[in-house]
Amino acid sequence: MAELRRFIVSPFQTNCYALISGGQCMVIDPGDRGKDIADQLLNTNVTLIAATHGHNDHVSGVAALKAATGAQFVMSKADYPWAKEHAGKADSSGQAYGDPIPEPDRLVEDGDTVQFDGIAFKVIATPGHTPGGVVYVGPGFAFVGDTLFKGSCGRTDLPNGNAQDLAKSLRKLKQVVPLDTTIFCGHGPETTMEYELQHNPYLKDQPTD
């Protein structure tokens, strides 16, 4: 049975997740704490690092984690070009932390599948918070980054954000993510798709096609 651990990283209290299965580990969004996370996962074999999007607080620790573990790094094709110029440098708040991101071993797009220890994650493109944000949907759970939060959604007033695109992405999630899916967000507590459809105004206000 898979085990999920959560680490709080970065100055912005970002959620980093470590999914452990069969002695292997997949890390989602290591933030700026790649070496610390590697140290806390010494008893596992970290084989995969997946980024939901390219903001500093989610990816500026990828280089350190990859160097410590040799894991493969997966990231959105649409986010990498601009993220490589910004990770490890001062962000919109003027803070610089972490390191530049390494070149991904694989660039993913909407509809791709990422495999980890027999677990298949469908990649859903969710632009809006960033141009290339993606959600990884597995069997009964999903890692959504900053696209969706409990009762809210990602902000679009940062550089490269787009409110119209995010609205379309939220509408897409309503259509393709099952109600009983547990949602692991980039910040704050976990939730479920059913709860968000009932209580989240950003989802309730999105029509279905």
Side-chain angles (χ1 to χ4, degrees), residues 17-127:
Y17 299 100
L19 180 65
I20 303 168
S21 177
Q24 298 184 53
C25 182
M26 172 183 178
V27 176
I28 301 91
D29 291 347
D32 60 340
R33 301 288 295 279
K35 181 60 168 62
D36 290 344
I37 292 168
D39 289 344
Q40 295 186 61
L41 296 171
L42 285 176
N43 295 326
T44 70
N45 181 20
V46 179
T47 59
L48 183 63
I49 305 165
T52 60
H53 64 289
H55 280 153
N56 250 5
D57 59 318
H58 290 256
V59 299
S60 61
V62 169
L65 181 58
K66 183 174 173 64
T69 63
Q72 299 286 295
F73 173 40
V74 174
M75 186 177 185
S76 161
K77 182 178 181 180
D79 256 14
Y80 177 63
W82 67 265
K84 69 179 179 180
E85 303 297 330
H86 294 89
K89 301 178 182 179
D91 61 14
S92 60
S93 68
Q95 292 181 296
Y97 51 88
D99 300 311
I101 55 176
E103 183 176 352
D105 297 285
R106 181 184 175 191
L107 293 169
V108 294
E109 300 179 90
D110 189 53
D112 285 348
T113 299
V114 173
Q115 295 281 346
F116 167 71
D117 193 45
I119 303 171
F121 289 92
K122 183 178 180 181
V123 178
I124 299 176
T126 55

